[in-house]
Amino acid sequence: MAGADISVGFAREVGEKYPPEKISSAILELHRQVDRGIKIRSVGAWLRYALVNDVQPDQPVKPKIIQAQERRATGHNLDTGDRGALTLHGLRHTFACEYIARRYQEYLSAGISATAASARARKDTAEVLGHGRIEITYIYAPESLFI
């Protein structure tokens, strides 16, 4: 991919506006397209288009149209190396960090103990990201985060 144009603010906006399953599906489709050799010039524009238009697996996406729409909507045109630019992995990581913290707080607010809230938030995060092991969530939220 050329320049990744995902900021933390954009990741938060997406996390608040769309359900985790839809975000995960869009990211998996983006990954699949990249694996097939499709050049994505603007990750943020592609993701926004996919979420707004409910892009399904194997549904073609026209990158040039998406890029133009994103530039008009945000005025962003980050190049590789620009401060704040994230990779696809960075977007996934940012989403996971925000998601696990939000789920943890939701469980605490519901009166669940900190230990149980941590375990449930980790399980939820692992499921949304498609991981088979809860241990992988320690990358996104170390144990010390929930103490």
Side-chain angles (χ1 to χ4, degrees):
M1 277 180 281
D5 59 348
I6 304 296
S7 67
V8 173
F10 176 78
R12 283 189 181 128
E13 172 193 329
V14 167
E16 291 171 4
K17 193 171 183 180
Y18 298 98
E21 299 78 14
K22 188 170 183 176
I23 296 167
S24 182
S25 177
I27 291 171
L28 288 172
E29 177 57 15
L30 175 59
H31 190 269
R32 187 191 67 75
Q33 290 195 21
V34 169
D35 282 350
R36 293 175 85 189
I38 296 171
K39 294 191 189 262
I40 307 293
R41 293 191 47 98
S42 173
V43 174
W46 189 98
L47 185 59
R48 186 181 304 277
Y49 177 90
L51 291 168
V52 168
N53 295 289
D54 199 27
V55 170
Q56 300 299 313
D58 293 319
Q59 181 179 335
V61 176
K62 297 177 175 76
K64 294 259 184 220
I65 293 171
I66 299 167
Q67 187 176 19
Q69 289 173 349
E70 179 70 6
R71 284 183 180 157
R72 281 193 303 274
T74 66
H76 286 248
N77 190 18
L78 295 178
D79 292 323
T80 302
D82 279 357
R83 184 179 174 95
L86 295 175
T87 63
L88 178 59
H89 178 77
L91 172 62
R92 181 178 167 89
H93 185 88
T94 301
F95 166 76
C97 291
E98 293 289 323
Y99 183 76
I100 197 169
R102 185 175 64 213
R103 295 299 291 158
Y104 177 72
Q105 288 302 318
E106 288 170 358
Y107 285 125
L108 286 179
S109 296
I112 295 172
S113 73
T115 302
S118 173
R120 287 184 181 186
R122 288 185 188 287
K123 181 178 183 289
D124 292 351
T125 303
E127 286 176 3
V128 166
L129 296 174
H131 291 300
R133 301 176 296 124
I134 291 175
E135 293 80 18
I136 200 74
T137 64
Y138 288 91
I139 293 169
Y140 310 117
E143 189 64 40
S144 61
L145 183 68
F146 297 134
I147 294 176

